[in-house]
């Protein structure tokens, strides 16, 4: 164990963002270990694919049970690894149970054969069959949930998985591996590796790998997408977002602002589909911003493991906090108004005070870039059309939501959002709800019925008369 303070730490390690201390380091996998992992996954695929889907479902149910049974242990791990408030960490672990249960229950019907009627006669069926070994490259912001939504549908289909987690999440990666092993997932069907970036490229190039799924930054998505394309491998990319959150009117502005603030601060704003651009009609704008500012004022850094009232948690790393502070500074220097927060705490920890920002214009970095942290950026608009123009004026296209006391008014605007997930008066989230975006937010879908429709061989099986 080490208590050395580090600002940059290559390789796999646990760095507590609440203190800046490196608590444990893990060696990167050797090339031989990577070779053995891929070979084991390929061997496992040859048998796992032939296990009846109902039997695979029983294993997934047990995986889900273990996520809840071990929720306290799992929560403590990621609170220390990436600073998530403990209650949110536990909720994330328990949500994985819902995901595995959903695919265990719905999987057999989602993977069922689909009969079609050939025009020229005969019998034809579209079969949904597994494709083989898949590589999953997972992020630090939801260390369990992100893995669950990739692993559950693909294990259910009969695919096998090589899992490369974020370098900052080695303990949670190993905890997931223990769950898979203890639940009866066959040896090799789910294999965690502490791979380097060079080794990732080698894995994707391996002819035994049939696809790759990445959740991460736009930059990482471009690299993985290029590697997948070069090697003719299917890819699913879930990247950044700058989701619009449009408030057309409200019969309780304080409550509307409270809901927007709570949504923005979930996971300290470190969610791809967080409400990063809050677009508010001018007649309620000032009162709305004042209510947000009231929530932000007076907050102090706190321990995410205790979650005392009036405190806020750290971001995932000092580097992340410094980057976000620079985006805020750039906006303020060019004329934006910082109503509250935005201060970066001195020292090695990753605390940045939750902020409220208005007056952001297209010339500022904050207008085009994703603000991956607790910054509520509010835009004032004077009409529904202006609101829609601002909502769609982004290179991203993950999700978006429109709120109004007039549901039809909100529905009409939401239908015109250029996103993968459009919502009215709430956000549709759950194991049964497909997740994914368009434009620079990536491509492909996870969760819901579409989650089992990515890495699958939709094989035509035809019998002539």
């Amino acid at each position: 164990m080490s208590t050395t303070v580090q600002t940059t730490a290559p390789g796999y390690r646990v760095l507590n963002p609440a203190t800046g201390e490196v608590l444990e380091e893990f060696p990167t996998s050797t090339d031989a270990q990577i070779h053995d992992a891929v070979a084991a996954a390929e061997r496992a695929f040859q048998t796992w694919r032939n296990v009846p889907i109902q039997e695979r479902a029983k294993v997934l149910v047990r995986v889900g049970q273990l996520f809840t049974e071990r929720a306290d242990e799992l929560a403590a791990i990621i609170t220390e690894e990436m600073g998530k408030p403990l209650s949110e960490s536990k909720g994330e672990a328990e949500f994985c149970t819902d995901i595995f249960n959903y695919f265990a229950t719905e999987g057999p019907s989602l993977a069922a054969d689909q009969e079609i009627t050939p025009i020229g006669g005969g019998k034809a069926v579209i079969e949904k069959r597994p494709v083989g070994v898949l590589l999953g490259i997972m992020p630090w912001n939801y260390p369990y949930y992100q893995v669950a939504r990739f692993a559950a549908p693909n294990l259910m289909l009969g695919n096998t998985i090589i899992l490369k987690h974020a370098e900052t999440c080695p303990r949670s990666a190993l905890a997931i591996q223990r769950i898979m092993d203890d639940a009866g997932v066959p040896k090799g069907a789910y294999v965690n590796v502490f791979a380097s970036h060079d080794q990732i490229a080698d894995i994707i190039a391996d002819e035994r790998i049939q696809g790759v799924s990445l959740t991460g930054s736009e930059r990482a998505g471009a690299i993985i997408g290029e590697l997948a394309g070069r090697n003719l491998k299917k890819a699913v990319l879930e990247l950044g977002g700058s989701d619009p959150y449009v408030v057309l009117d409200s019969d309780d502005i304080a409550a509307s602002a409270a809901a927007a603030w709570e949504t923005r601060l979930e996971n300290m704003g470190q969610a791809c589909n967080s409400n990063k651009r809050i677009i508010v009609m001018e007649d309620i704008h000032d009162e709305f911003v004042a209510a947000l500012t009231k929530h932000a004022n007076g907050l102090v850094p706190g321990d995410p493991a205790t979650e005392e009232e009036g405190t806020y948690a750290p971001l995932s790393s000092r580097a992340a906090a410094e980057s976000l502070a620079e985006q805020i500074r750039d906006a303020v220097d060019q004329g934006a108004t910082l109503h509250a927060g935005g201060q970066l705490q001195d020292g090695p920890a990753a605390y940045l005070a939750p902020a409220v920002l208005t007056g952001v214009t297209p010339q500022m970095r904050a207008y085009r870039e994703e603000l991956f942290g607790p910054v509520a950026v509010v835009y004032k608009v004077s009409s529904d059309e202006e609101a829609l123009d601002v909502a769609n004026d982004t290179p991203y296209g993950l999700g978006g939501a429109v709120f109004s006391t007039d549901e039809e008014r909100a529905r009409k605007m939401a239908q015109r959002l250029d996103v993968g997930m459009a919502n009215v008066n709430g956000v549709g989230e759950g194991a049964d709800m497909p997740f994914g975006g368009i434009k620079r937010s990536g491509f492909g879908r996870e969760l819901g019925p579409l989650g089992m429709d990515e890495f699958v061989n939709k094989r035509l099986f035809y019998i002539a008369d």
Side-chain angles (χ1 to χ4, degrees):
M1 294 286 184
S2 169
T3 57
T4 303
V5 174
Q6 289 185 220
T7 55
T8 58
Y12 290 80
R13 80 285 187 201
V14 178
L15 193 160
N16 186 339
T19 64
E21 293 177 336
V22 177
L23 304 177
E24 189 174 6
E25 297 182 355
F26 295 77
T28 301
S29 299
T30 65
D31 289 345
Q33 289 171 329
I34 296 294
H35 177 273
D36 290 346
V38 177
E42 172 62 20
R43 286 194 302 271
F45 174 64
Q46 300 308 325
T47 54
W48 183 240
R49 68 187 300 182
N50 294 319
V51 173
I53 194 168
Q54 291 80 6
E55 295 301 312
R56 295 198 292 264
K58 293 178 182 178
V59 176
L60 262 66
V61 168
R62 184 56 185 151
V63 171
Q65 289 172 341
L66 288 177
F67 269 101
T68 290
E69 290 176 14
R70 301 178 184 179
D72 289 334
E73 170 196 344
L74 297 171
I77 290 172
I78 60 174
T79 291
E80 191 168 57
E81 280 185 330
M82 51 76 63
K84 190 191 299 287
L86 190 62
S87 61
E88 293 184 23
S89 298
K90 185 175 181 180
E92 179 183 336
E94 293 172 340
F95 184 36
C96 294
T97 300
D98 296 338
I99 294 172
F100 279 94
N101 284 344
Y102 171 80
F103 285 107
T105 301
E106 301 297 329
S109 61
L110 294 175
D113 293 348
Q114 176 187 350
E115 292 188 16
I116 59 176
T117 303
I119 295 175
K123 298 178 181 179
V125 173
I126 297 173
E127 301 172 325
K128 294 185 177 180
R129 302 174 66 84
V131 295
V133 185
L134 307 175
L135 172 63
I137 305 172
M138 298 293 110
W140 50 262
N141 59 334
Y142 290 93
Y144 303 128
Y145 159 70
Q146 300 281 7
V147 174
R149 70 186 198 179
F150 165 65
N154 285 301
L155 287 173
M156 191 63 187
L157 281 165
N159 294 319
T160 57
I161 291 169
I162 303 290
L163 200 290
K164 187 272 177 204
H165 217 315
E167 286 88 344
T168 54
C169 296
R171 287 181 182 168
S172 49
L174 294 174
I176 297 170
Q177 181 71 70
R178 287 193 294 273
I179 285 176
M180 295 293 178
D181 295 342
D182 294 347
V185 175
K187 181 177 176 59
Y190 180 98
V191 187
N192 179 77
V193 296
F194 290 153
S196 68
H197 292 176
D198 288 342
Q199 289 170 331
I200 290 172
D202 292 339
I203 294 171
I204 294 173
D206 193 303
E207 64 181 11
R208 292 167 293 186
I209 300 296
Q210 300 303 313
V212 56
S213 178
L214 171 128
T215 297
S217 68
E218 188 179 343
R219 177 176 175 272
I223 293 169
I224 297 303
E226 180 181 357
L227 287 169
R230 185 188 310 160
N231 291 283
L232 300 179
K233 305 294 174 69
K234 170 69 181 289
V236 168
L237 303 177
E238 197 277 279
L239 310 178
S242 190
D243 288 12
Y245 185 101
V246 184
V247 183
L248 297 175
D249 57 66
S250 174
D251 53 12
D252 188 338
I253 297 173
S256 295
W261 182 253
E262 182 180 359
T263 301
R264 188 66 186 98
L265 259 66
E266 198 274 329
N267 203 32
M268 277 303 286
Q270 299 167 119
C272 298
N273 63 328
S274 182
N275 52 336
K276 300 186 179 80
R277 294 178 301 131
I278 303 172
I279 302 164
V280 182
M281 281 293 170
E282 62 181 354
D283 59 331
I284 62 172
H285 173 273
D286 291 352
E287 186 176 345
F288 192 97
V289 170
L292 288 178
T293 303
K294 185 176 180 180
H295 286 289
N297 277 332
L299 295 176
V300 298
D303 183 349
T306 59
E307 299 183 78
E308 294 181 12
E309 187 175 353
T311 65
Y312 61 90
L315 273 72
S316 64
S317 69
R318 180 70 184 185
E322 290 175 349
S323 177
L324 186 60
E326 181 55 38
Q327 289 172 305
I328 295 170
R329 189 178 306 113
D330 173 79
V332 173
D333 287 348
Q334 296 189 66
T337 300
L338 182 62
H339 297 262
Q343 298 82 25
L344 182 65
Q345 187 186 39
D346 292 337
Y351 288 97
L352 183 139
V356 178
L357 194 64
T358 63
V360 171
T361 63
Q363 294 73 35
M364 302 171 187
R365 291 176 56 195
Y367 189 89
R368 292 290 175 188
E369 297 177 2
E370 180 179 26
L371 299 184
F372 211 63
V375 183
V377 181
V378 186
Y379 295 85
K380 182 193 295 187
V381 293
S382 59
S383 68
D384 289 15
E385 283 301 316
E386 185 183 3
L388 183 66
D389 287 344
V390 174
N392 286 334
D393 188 17
T394 172
Y396 298 103
L398 190 54
V402 183
F403 295 81
S404 175
T405 56
D406 182 345
E407 182 180 304
E408 181 63 15
R409 180 187 180 192
R411 186 189 65 80
K412 287 180 178 178
M413 179 176 292
Q415 285 186 330
R416 297 172 65 189
L417 293 176
D418 296 332
V419 297
M421 302 174 288
N423 303 272
V424 173
N425 289 335
V427 177
E429 293 182 309
D432 57 340
M433 295 285 186
F435 189 104
I438 60 172
K439 299 194 286 188
R440 299 191 74 84
S441 290
F443 45 78
R445 295 294 182 269
E446 295 180 308
L447 297 178
L450 303 184
M452 281 190 70
D453 211 34
E454 293 290 348
F455 297 105
V456 59
N457 175 14
K458 303 177 184 72
R459 187 176 78 170
L460 172 67
F461 193 82
Y462 174 73
I463 302 174
D465 288 335

